[in-house]
Amino acid sequence: MEKNPKTLFVVAAALTNESGAILLQKRPDHASMGGLWEFPGGKVEAGETPEAALARELFEELGISVNPQDLIPETFASEPLGDRHLLLLLYRCVTWEGTPTPHFASEIAWVHPNDMAALPMPPADYPLVERLKRI
């Protein structure tokens, strides 16, 4: 029987502006997967709902306030990640308060889904991009 790896629950946001572009952030070079572009978000902590975790992460990473009820579930990715298994939940968000500012990322950019495949991204993000192209 195959051993079940510990599941790492992660949430991410496809913050979408009026023109349909989505905000991506670039991981700092010194971080794990440094230099790769990703959707903002992070780990779901014990006792948190995914939506509350994502609202917290967006405030910490970008300084924006999001109402968890405004997060629209879109898709997910499931990938092995070393001795763990990553379950990445992607939500779309079109309403927030504040101006996104990179607090941890080296930079941020508004990118249309059709242009995302050309960017270096973590492997789990590419299936999410394919889903966003169809929205």
Side-chain angles (χ1 to χ4, degrees):
M1 180 176 239
E2 193 174 314
K3 183 182 175 194
N4 292 331
K6 180 178 172 150
T7 301
L8 175 62
F9 291 96
V10 176
V11 289
L15 295 169
T16 308
N17 69 14
E18 313 80 43
S19 71
I22 295 171
L23 188 135
L24 295 178
Q25 61 184 14
K26 190 173 187 183
R27 295 181 64 84
D29 288 335
H30 66 276
S32 170
M33 294 192 233
L36 300 182
W37 289 91
E38 66 179 359
F39 300 99
K43 296 176 189 167
V44 178
E45 301 294 340
E48 279 185 315
T49 65
E51 297 82 4
L54 187 51
R56 174 185 53 75
E57 288 283 350
L58 292 173
F59 184 75
E60 290 174 0
E61 291 183 358
L62 298 171
I64 61 173
S65 296
V66 172
N67 183 335
Q69 294 175 336
D70 291 336
L71 297 169
I72 304 159
E74 281 299 338
T75 190
F76 71 95
S78 179
E79 294 276 333
L81 185 66
D83 62 346
R84 297 179 291 180
H85 192 88
L86 172 70
L87 186 60
L88 174 56
L89 309 174
L90 181 71
Y91 292 81
R92 190 164 40 92
C93 183
V94 296
T95 306
W96 60 87
E97 291 182 22
T99 301
T101 305
H103 292 180
F104 297 106
S106 59
E107 60 184 294
I108 59 175
W110 292 97
V111 182
H112 284 88
N114 288 335
D115 299 325
M116 288 180 187
L119 296 173
M121 299 179 86
D125 285 11
Y126 288 113
L128 307 178
V129 169
E130 290 306 311
R131 168 72 176 132
L132 291 172
K133 287 179 184 179
R134 297 191 300 268
I135 295 175

